[in-house]
Every structure is written in structure tokens, then in C-alpha cells.
């Protein structure tokens, strides 16, 4: 498994962000339903002339849900054109987003999010009211019984959650983490680790919180629409495992990072057995003896963040490629994305931990390989190939160490 360390330059761009938070009540079916409630966050993640991208995050404050339907109305003629992680329909100004197969269950206190691209003319105001499962927002949890007539007794003290603030690794990991960072500073990019500007971190912060993907289908196999969506869902789930390591840690600003698949590259269009336009399709553009998505739309080929020759502009660019190759053993990863065997990926679509993909995502965010040495005091961990099947505590702190050293680059 290899890590790309070629020195490149990227320009971080700033895109418009608009956010609003409202409360929406979640209707729970059945006579025994408890107090419903939720929070809905609507955020415009980027905007350009005539178009925009947005994310909607729902936090469930009531009983667990087995399915959800979010509705809102636009006040300025906006139209949804493409969506991911939800099925979105629109009738006039009214928009309805319904869960897909993999994200319908939302436990109490848990959240779910989906994203979409849209069009606008004149203005693009944020919707002011949302409903979930037919119940309009309430801004909190609705009571199920009448409030007491006298003040309640003083509740017992609660234990505060553990701190996830600054740099505070366990004492036994301080020395090996220092050894790893020193090794990376000495060996990356000819000794200029900080001069490299296309780590996964750079891509994430250029986009202000999301990552776009192209699938390089380096195979003669056919793909159904259901398989396409399963591949997207599996990729998003594995990425989330790394992002969850960072949530709430040391001023890391994102609670979720939407993973969007915007393109597929294939040798023969007939291999892709769907006719919808949810992704761009690139046929028989061969690079490295494999199908390649449009180079003008790729971050690896365009470092200024503008994509002037990409037909869909910034919204349709891709930051990384998921490169699935028939008969490929092991994996490879770097700033360009991740590569592994097509058979391995498809056979592990529902695996809790897709070990090779997790390892290669680690490389995309700068984590090293450990073929010829092991830091002192630690044993098996994901980035030491073959010694662990999932992200370990040491892997998590190695990722956090990258954030500690690069966060000032992004203004944190």
C-alpha cells in the first residue's frame, strides 16, 4: 500500500456559506409515541451564478425513527436539481426529502444529513420553516403530559462529558506520536512536509466541508443503479469513521463531511445500467490504462480551485477518485484518492470496516506506512498494514496530530 508524496501546490478558495437552525418536531407513529422533537440545520455549502449546493442535517431529539420525510418550501423559485443520501422531489415551491435505504433509522440524539444541488435566479434565501414526518417545527421537545403545578425537585448532578478539546493524547502515546511526526517531517516531500498543498485536509477546507468523488470503474463488469448507490453509501460510511475521530476535537469545525459521487468513468457506457443523470459519465477516456473522469474537473489536475474547463464548474469537480480494478491486490492511496480490487470492494459493501479502504483513506490525509519500523510502545494499528482491521486509538491520535500541525493553515 503506497502513499503519494509528490509535491504540488493548491490555492484555497472561499465559498459563500449561509446557515440557519430551526427546530422541527418529529412525528412518531403509534399510540405509545413519546415526546417528539428535532433540530434541522440548513446550510448553503457553496454558491455560484445560477446554482448552489446545500446540506440539510436533522438531529432527532425524540423517539428513535425508522424512516423520515423532511419538507420545506422555497420562497424565491429555487429548484433542486440533484441530491444524495435522500430521494428529493419538488412540486412548485414545496420540496420533500425522504430517506434512502441505508439512513432511515435515526436514534434518539442521533443525526442524519443529506445534500443536494439546486438552481436559483435573483436571490437564494434560506427556507424559514421545516417539517419532519408531517409535523411543523417546534424548536424543542413537545411535552407528553401536563407540566407539574409545583417546581420539580432538584435533579441529581450530572457527570460532564470527557473533554475532546486540545492536544491531550494518552501519556503512553506521546512518545510514539512524536516519533511518527518527526519521521514524516524528515521524509515527506523531500523534507518539506508543509509545502505540500493537496492533502485531504486541503481539499476538505477548500470545499468548506465536503468531498467530491469520481469512480474509476476499471472492470468489464456491469453496474446496476442499486450497486452504484451501494458503492456511494459504503464509501461514505468508511470516510465517516475517520471524520468521527475528529468531531469535537481541538476546534475541528465539521460534525459531518458529506461524501458526494459526482462522476463515473467506464470503458463502455452499456456497463452502467441506469439512465438517470445523477452522476456525470465519462466513456473510454483512458489514463494509466484505466478509465478516467474528465481531467478539467479533477482536483489532481487543477490546483487553483476554479475548474474553468469543467462543464459543471466547481459543483461538478471531483477531489478524489475511487479506483476499482479487476484483480488488483492490496491497495494504494494518496492525495488523488484510493485504489483497490474491484472484487474486494464489492464483496465488502456491507462490512463494518472495509480495512483496505480505511487504510488508504488514512494516506489521503497524510498518514504514513510502517513497513520498515514501528513506533515504540505500540503494537497493531490500522496504518501498519495487516496488524489491525479497524481504526485504533493510535491511528486516531495520528490523524489528530495532522490537524494539530495543519489547522493554522485553515485559520483555526
Amino acid at each position: 500500500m503506497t502513499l503519494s508524496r509528490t509535491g504540488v501546490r493548491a490555492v484555497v478558495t472561499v465559498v459563500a456559506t449561509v446557515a440557519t437552525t430551526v427546530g422541527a418536531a418529529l412525528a412518531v407513529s403509534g399510540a405509545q409515541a413519546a415526546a417528539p422533537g428535532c433540530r434541522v440545520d440548513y446550510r448553503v455549502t457553496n454558491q455560484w451564478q445560477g446554482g448552489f449546493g446545500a446540506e440539510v442535517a436533522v438531529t432527532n431529539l425524540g423517539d428513535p425513527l425508522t424512516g423520515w420525510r423532511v419538507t420545506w418550501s422555497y420562497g424565491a423559485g429555487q429548484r433542486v436539481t440533484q441530491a444524495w443520501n435522500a430521494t428529493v422531489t419538488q412540486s412548485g415551491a414545496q420540496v420533500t426529502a425522504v430517506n434512502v435505504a441505508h439512513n432511515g433509522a435515526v436514534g434518539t440524539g442521533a443525526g442524519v444529513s443529506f445534500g443536494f444541488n439546486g438552481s436559483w435566479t435573483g436571490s437564494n434565501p434560506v427556507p424559514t420553516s421545516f417539517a419532519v414526518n408531517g409535523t411543523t417545527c417546534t424548536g424543542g421537545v413537545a411535552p407528553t403530559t401536563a407540566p407539574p403545578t409545583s417546581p420539580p425537585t432538584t435533579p441529581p448532578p450530572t457527570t460532564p462529558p470527557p473533554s475532546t478539546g486540545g492536544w491531550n493524547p494518552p501519556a503512553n502515546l506521546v512518545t510514539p506520536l512524536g516519533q511518527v511526526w518527526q519521521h514524516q517531517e524528515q521524509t515527506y516531500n523531500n523534507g518539506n512536509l508543509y509545502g505540500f498543498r493537496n492533502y485531504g485536509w486541503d481539499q476538505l477546507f477548500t470545499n468548506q466541508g465536503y468531498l467530491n468523488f469520481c469512480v474509476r470503474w476499471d472492470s468489464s463488469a456491469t453496474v446496476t443503479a442499486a450497486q452504484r448507490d451501494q458503492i456511494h453509501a459504503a464509501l461514505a460510511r468508511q470516510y465517516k469513521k475517520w471524520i468521527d475521530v475528529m468531531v469535537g476535537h481541538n476546534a475541528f469545525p465539521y460534525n459531518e463531511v458529506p461524501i458526494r459521487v459526482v462522476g463515473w468513468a467506464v470503458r463502455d457506457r452499456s456497463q452502467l445500467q441506469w439512465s438517470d443523470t445523477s452522476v456525470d459519465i465519462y466513456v473510454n477516456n483512458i489514463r494509466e490504462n484505466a478509465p478516467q473522469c474528465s481531467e478539467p474537473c479533477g482536483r489532481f489536475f487543477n490546483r487553483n480551485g476554479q475548474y474553468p474547463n469543467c462543464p459543471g464548474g466547481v459543483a461538478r469537480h471531483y477531489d478524489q477518485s475511487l479506483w476499482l480494478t479487476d484483480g488488483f491486490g492490496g491497495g494504494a492511496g494518496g492525495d488523488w484518492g484510493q485504489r483497490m480490487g474491484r472484487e474486494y470492494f464489492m464483496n465488502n459493501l456491507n462490512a463494518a470496516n472495509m480495512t483496505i479502504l480505511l487504510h488508504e483513506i488514512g494516506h489521503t490525509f497524510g498518514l504514513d506506512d510502517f513497513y520498515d519500523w514501528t513506533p515504540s510502545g505500540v503494537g497493531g494499528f490500522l496504518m501498519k498494514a495487516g496488524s489491525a482491521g479497524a481504526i485504533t486509538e493510535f491511528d486516531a491520535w495520528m490523524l489528530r496530530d495532522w490537524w494539530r500541525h495543519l489547522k493554522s493553515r485553515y485559520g483555526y
Side-chain angles (χ1 to χ4, degrees):
M1 303 181 185
T2 59
L3 168 65
S4 172
R5 299 179 181 168
T6 306
V8 294
R9 181 175 63 87
V11 177
V12 178
T13 61
V14 179
V15 296
T17 299
V18 181
T20 187
T21 301
V22 299
L26 296 180
V28 183
S29 60
Q32 302 302 315
C38 86
R39 185 177 71 248
V40 175
D41 300 306
Y42 179 105
R43 186 169 69 98
V44 175
T45 55
N46 57 0
Q47 185 167 296
W48 58 98
Q49 184 59 45
F52 69 101
E55 178 188 39
V56 178
V58 179
T59 302
N60 180 20
L61 303 178
D63 271 6
L65 300 176
T66 57
W68 47 264
R69 184 180 77 258
V70 182
T71 56
W72 70 90
S73 293
Y74 279 125
Q78 301 100 313
R79 301 290 301 180
V80 175
T81 58
Q82 177 200 20
W84 48 92
N85 293 329
T87 300
V88 179
T89 57
Q90 184 168 355
S91 177
Q94 181 75 18
V95 181
T96 301
V98 179
N99 65 275
V100 291
H102 70 269
N103 65 0
V106 187
T108 302
V112 65
S113 66
F114 59 93
F116 61 90
N117 291 329
S119 62
W120 62 278
T121 56
S123 64
N124 186 24
V126 170
T128 58
S129 178
F130 293 83
V132 180
N133 290 357
T135 302
T136 307
C137 68
T138 63
V141 179
T144 56
T145 60
T149 57
S150 59
T153 58
T154 303
T158 58
T159 303
S163 171
T164 56
W167 178 248
N168 56 352
N172 65 305
L173 298 184
V174 172
T175 294
L177 287 168
Q179 293 171 347
V180 170
W181 194 260
Q182 181 182 35
H183 181 265
Q184 291 170 159
E185 285 188 315
Q186 292 172 348
T187 60
Y188 276 32
N189 197 28
N190 297 319
N192 183 20
L193 178 150
Y194 302 99
F196 188 77
R197 293 279 176 166
N198 198 35
Y199 298 114
W201 306 99
D202 296 308
Q203 300 168 14
L204 175 61
F205 281 87
T206 296
N207 294 344
Q208 290 197 339
Y210 68 91
L211 292 169
N212 280 0
F213 268 81
C214 153
V215 175
R216 301 182 69 180
W217 190 250
D218 191 9
S219 171
S220 59
T222 58
V223 189
T224 66
Q227 289 173 321
R228 174 199 65 192
D229 295 342
Q230 290 172 329
I231 290 169
H232 184 176
L235 178 65
R237 284 196 302 270
Q238 300 305 306
Y239 250 88
K240 186 177 186 299
K241 291 179 179 293
W242 279 114
I243 297 303
D244 284 350
V245 163
M246 296 304 308
V247 171
H249 175 76
N250 200 9
F252 184 75
Y254 303 116
N255 291 327
E256 294 188 60
V257 172
I259 301 300
R260 309 171 180 175
V261 175
V262 298
W264 272 68
V266 68
R267 284 186 168 86
D268 188 333
R269 176 62 181 88
S270 65
Q271 292 177 257
L272 306 181
Q273 298 180 343
W274 66 82
S275 59
D276 62 68
T277 58
S278 60
V279 296
D280 296 328
I281 296 173
Y282 304 98
V283 178
N284 208 31
N285 177 15
I286 305 300
R287 181 184 177 92
E288 302 161 306
N289 197 34
Q292 170 68 56
C293 287
S294 173
E295 294 178 14
C297 297
R299 164 96 181 186
F300 187 81
F301 308 103
N302 301 269
R303 305 306 173 118
N304 62 8
Q306 300 300 313
Y307 308 99
N309 298 315
C310 179
V314 172
R316 307 298 291 182
H317 87 282
Y318 60 95
D319 303 292
Q320 300 169 35
S321 293
L322 177 64
W323 185 356
L324 304 178
T325 302
D326 278 352
F328 189 80
D335 61 309
W336 47 269
Q338 303 85 39
R339 184 185 188 186
M340 67 210 66
R342 190 267 308 176
E343 299 90 343
Y344 169 84
F345 192 99
M346 299 304 292
N347 288 337
N348 287 276
L349 283 174
N350 297 312
N353 293 286
M354 196 180 295
T355 303
I356 293 177
L357 177 57
L358 286 171
H359 180 102
E360 305 309 339
I361 293 171
H363 287 328
T364 299
F365 282 87
L367 300 187
D368 207 351
D369 263 325
F370 295 86
Y371 290 127
D372 53 355
W373 75 292
T374 301
S376 61
V378 293
F381 52 97
L382 180 72
M383 297 311 297
K384 186 174 177 64
S387 66
I391 298 169
T392 68
E393 184 180 41
F394 187 58
D395 295 300
W397 281 103
M398 284 195 294
L399 184 71
R400 292 166 179 164
D401 207 5
W402 273 90
W403 171 244
R404 176 169 73 115
H405 285 91
L406 290 190
K407 58 186 290 191
S408 62
R409 180 182 286 188
Y410 316 114
Y412 292 91

